[in-house]
Amino acid sequence: MKDLIEDIERWRAGGQRVALARVVAVVGSGPRDPGAAMAINEASEVIGSVSGGCVEGAVVTEALGVIESGEPRLCTFGYSDDEAFAVGLTCGGTVRIFIEPLN
Amino acid sequence: MDKIFSTLASCISAQEPVAIATVIERSDVTQGQNPSPAELGATILVSHIRGVQGSLGHEKLDAVVARDVDAALSSGRSVARHYGSAGESRLDDVTVFIDVFAPPPRMIIFGAVDFTTALVKVAKVLGYHVTVCDAREVFATKRRFPDADDVVVAWPHVYLETVADRLGALDAVCVLTHDHKFDIPAIAAALSTSVGYLGAMGSRKTHAERVERLIDAGVEPSLLNEIMAPIGLAIGARTPEETAVAICAEIIARRANAEVRSLRDETGPIHLVAS
């Protein structure tokens, strides 16, 4: 998240609504450790990352929902047979991501 | 989180160790557990310099979490933990994510040589705060090492004394001088710190001589095994840039306890003969 602070501060100073998404738990093989973060503003600009690119798209969608509702949410992304076409991690692990509004 | 964000930003830009703890999950009455007064997203900030700011909704929970944050700050790892509503252990009414922001690890490079220029660059990519130190002021210039955070003209062991108590498991000292006059006191001084990685450049022959001189200088022989020399992984590196990658890869591998071949653990020439 360190690398995101400057951009987040700039967005906030410019009156943009911002959501912060952080990896809070990884079960099995995951590409990024807890603490990996990305930030999304209401114009859908994105900085940072929470995986190897596997779930970023879905996180953006969730984050825009968080900006709209103002309510934080905890999302779980993983791979299972019956969800083969849902968003998952190609590495086979499960990642939990906490998304919260920053305004 | 919203209210604390500016303080967090100030701590990070001042390179102070800081952590935030955020409620990411809470039970509710329908689950038959104790409803937690903690609000989803409630955050406290913990800094040794600024104390504890904010609240998770219960004083006792704040106190217990702040204690766990202290432990997380020492380990440098972000982690999710479960608590009872009033901070009880072994209960799971509330999940708190402790997010640690440690200042960047330090790399101190002794010797202002060509290999240093490349090592500074690779170390910066990896997020190190990099100091280049050499006693020869002609070589130790900011102009030669524009990417370094600090360029210090001083005898290595003298400089090391000024930062010794700040060096920890994630930090690295790389001795690239190739000159016993500078190497020996620098390595001896580094061995008395808690630095996580100590590597020294030079051939096996150079290092064998160095070991004798270190013992003559009064270094405890059991400590000599701490020195990674010849420095770097055995990846056949030749250029300064390749060597910098070999050194940084060795630092990562040692920290992760990964089993890979270091030059130190091999025999024969350190530069592979081109076939």
Side-chain angles (χ1 to χ4, degrees):
Chain A
M1 168 137 92
K2 279 183 183 178
D3 303 342
L4 312 184
I5 297 269
E6 219 170 277
D7 283 330
I8 293 174
E9 291 278 71
R10 189 167 45 78
W11 285 347
R12 279 158 49 104
Q16 293 244 41
R17 291 182 298 168
V18 179
L20 175 69
R22 286 182 288 164
V23 174
V24 295
V26 180
V27 181
S29 168
R32 300 290 306 271
D33 286 333
M38 67 189 258
I40 298 94
N41 69 17
E42 60 187 299
S44 297
E45 284 180 274
V46 179
I47 48 172
S49 80
V50 288
S51 74
C54 323
V55 301
E56 270 74 2
V59 172
V60 169
T61 308
E62 293 287 341
L64 291 171
V66 165
I67 289 175
E68 223 28 69
S69 69
E71 297 295 326
R73 59 180 81 157
L74 181 63
C75 304
T76 302
F77 298 98
Y79 180 87
S80 71
D81 286 345
D82 46 338
E83 286 174 16
F85 296 101
V87 175
L89 297 173
T90 48
C91 35
T94 300
V95 61
R96 302 189 86 193
I97 295 175
F98 185 70
I99 310 174
E100 64 194 307
L102 280 188
N103 38 271
Chain B
M1 173 62 146
D2 181 36
K3 297 183 198 77
I4 276 171
F5 195 80
S6 302
T7 313
L8 177 67
S10 319
C11 292
I12 289 174
S13 71
Q15 299 201 349
E16 295 168 16
V18 62
I20 53 172
T22 305
V23 175
I24 58 167
E25 203 171 24
R26 56 192 288 270
S27 59
D28 54 40
V29 189
T30 55
Q31 289 173 299
Q33 292 162 302
N34 295 322
S36 167
E39 296 246 355
L40 207 58
T43 299
I44 57 170
L45 176 145
V46 182
S47 140
H48 293 304
I49 297 163
R50 298 167 202 241
V52 180
Q53 297 189 12
S55 174
L56 301 178
H58 195 296
E59 259 179 47
K60 283 185 179 163
L61 178 62
D62 290 345
V64 173
V65 171
R67 191 197 62 203
D68 287 347
V69 167
D70 261 348
L73 272 171
S74 317
S75 77
R77 286 195 169 273
S78 297
V79 64
R81 300 186 79 99
H82 306 283
Y83 303 93
S85 297
E88 302 93 328
S89 52
R90 291 189 295 279
L91 289 180
D92 187 8
D93 297 323
V94 51
T95 308
V96 175
F97 179 56
I98 299 173
D99 206 355
V100 173
F101 304 90
R106 299 188 60 142
M107 182 186 287
I108 299 170
I109 309 172
F110 293 124
V113 297
D114 275 357
F115 286 94
T116 310
T117 312
L119 184 54
V120 171
K121 281 188 190 149
V122 178
K124 287 310 294 176
V125 169
L126 294 175
Y128 282 92
H129 178 280
V130 183
T131 302
V132 175
C133 173
D134 196 305
R136 301 163 298 179
E137 58 186 300
V138 211
F139 298 120
T141 62
K142 187 73 187 161
R143 195 189 159 117
R144 291 190 70 210
F145 305 102
D147 299 324
D149 295 284
D150 308 299
V151 179
V152 178
V153 181
W155 274 73
H157 64 288
V158 174
Y159 171 71
L160 209 45
E161 270 170 30
T162 66
V163 292
D165 57 344
R166 280 182 276 155
L167 294 178
L170 301 178
D171 303 315
V173 169
C174 300
V175 180
L176 308 188
T177 34
H178 277 104
D179 182 336
H180 292 319
K181 180 167 78 252
F182 298 112
D183 282 10
I184 302 301
I187 293 172
L191 283 172
S192 67
T193 69
S194 306
V195 75
Y197 176 90
L198 169 61
M201 185 172 265
S203 66
R204 294 183 198 287
K205 195 169 152 237
T206 304
H207 189 60
E209 276 177 41
R210 198 151 48 196
V211 163
E212 282 177 25
R213 286 171 189 247
L214 282 166
I215 291 170
D216 289 346
V219 169
E220 181 64 41
S222 63
L223 289 177
L224 295 170
N225 200 37
E226 299 290 312
I227 310 166
M228 297 306 292
I231 195 169
L233 289 190
I235 59 171
R238 290 200 72 87
T239 66
E241 292 73 19
E242 290 169 357
T243 305
V245 170
I247 293 169
C248 288
E250 181 169 76
I251 294 172
I252 296 166
R254 297 275 297 172
R255 197 181 56 211
N257 279 322
E259 281 193 30
V260 285
R261 291 187 312 143
S262 282
L263 282 166
R264 185 185 71 166
D265 306 325
E266 302 219 310
T267 53
I270 57 177
H271 299 296
L272 298 180
V273 181
S275 53

